[in-house]
Amino acid sequence: MRLSTKSRFAVTAMIDIALRDNAGPISLADISARHQISVSYLEQLFSKLRQNRLVESTRGPGGGYTLARVSESISVADIIGAVESQAQPVGAGEKPFQGEQGSAQWMTQDLWATLNTKMLEHMQSISLRQLASEQRAKGVKIEARPAKRGVYTAPKTQPVYTTAPNSVFALGRSLNVQH
């Protein structure tokens, strides 16, 4: 079994934010550049993450997304449940197969239900903090952010002095001096 692309990207982006949690809001453009995920796709994912109260958004210069809760209280199951199209959490509310006794689906029904329960329990046991800690242990480097993101001071310009005459009269005076 493999996670969907949507779930993988969501978990990756959430790890990215958790790694930079104390650096302030993280823009989707920054996440996009680091992980080669389109900004429009990230906007869709983060809309769902925000609706499920996993992230908070800040608008304006220096804005972006931060975790809505401490990373220890956000599980992989929370993230996947938020971005997948299901209205219910991952694995919840699945109906058992109502087929004839002896059919192949009926015989494996308990196996799949147990497997699904185990996967859900495992995903709930993995916190976002654990995933971020694993990345730090692997040597992932977090770049320093500029102190005033999105706010720039205009460079000081030096006045330009010219030796050329700036009027017709000055030009005339300069021509008279040469004779």
Side-chain angles (χ1 to χ4, degrees):
M1 283 191 178
R2 297 186 66 183
L3 284 176
S4 70
T5 301
K6 185 187 323 183
S7 293
R8 286 190 316 224
F9 285 163
V11 171
T12 299
M14 290 292 283
I15 293 170
D16 189 279
I17 291 176
L19 286 168
R20 293 162 179 80
D21 195 34
N22 58 358
I26 308 298
S27 74
L28 295 183
D30 289 346
I31 296 171
S32 172
R34 281 190 289 270
H35 303 288
Q36 288 75 46
I37 306 169
S38 80
V39 174
S40 61
Y41 195 68
L42 284 170
E43 287 171 346
Q44 293 172 23
L45 294 176
F46 274 78
S47 172
K48 291 178 181 183
L49 292 168
R50 193 170 40 83
Q51 289 169 359
N52 285 274
R53 296 185 180 105
L54 297 178
V55 294
E56 294 176 338
S57 63
T58 304
R59 294 178 183 235
Y65 288 88
T66 55
L67 298 177
R69 305 187 312 235
V70 293
S71 60
E72 185 64 37
S73 71
I74 299 173
S75 72
V76 172
D78 293 334
I79 299 167
I80 293 171
V83 297
E84 291 299 330
S85 59
Q86 302 169 352
Q88 299 173 345
V90 178
E94 292 187 5
K95 296 178 183 176
F97 177 73
Q98 301 295 324
E100 291 184 29
Q101 188 170 356
S103 71
Q105 291 164 328
W106 182 82
M107 288 189 279
T108 59
Q109 172 182 330
D110 288 339
L111 169 67
W112 296 120
T114 302
L115 179 61
N116 195 36
T117 301
K118 294 289 183 190
M119 280 187 356
L120 181 59
E121 287 172 2
H122 182 65
M123 289 189 298
Q124 287 172 334
S125 73
I126 303 169
S127 73
L128 185 55
R129 183 177 185 174
Q130 287 174 288
L131 296 175
S133 295
E134 288 174 7
Q135 292 303 307
R136 284 188 190 99
K138 289 179 181 177
V140 171
K141 302 289 184 210
I142 307 303
E143 68 283 348
R145 281 179 80 176
K148 292 184 178 180
R149 184 180 174 144
V151 179
Y152 300 98
T153 57
K156 293 185 179 184
T157 57
Q158 297 294 326
V160 177
Y161 297 106
T162 179
T163 57
N166 61 358
S167 72
V168 174
F169 300 108
L171 177 62
R173 280 193 301 269
S174 70
L175 292 175
N176 285 335
V177 171
Q178 293 175 357
H179 284 106

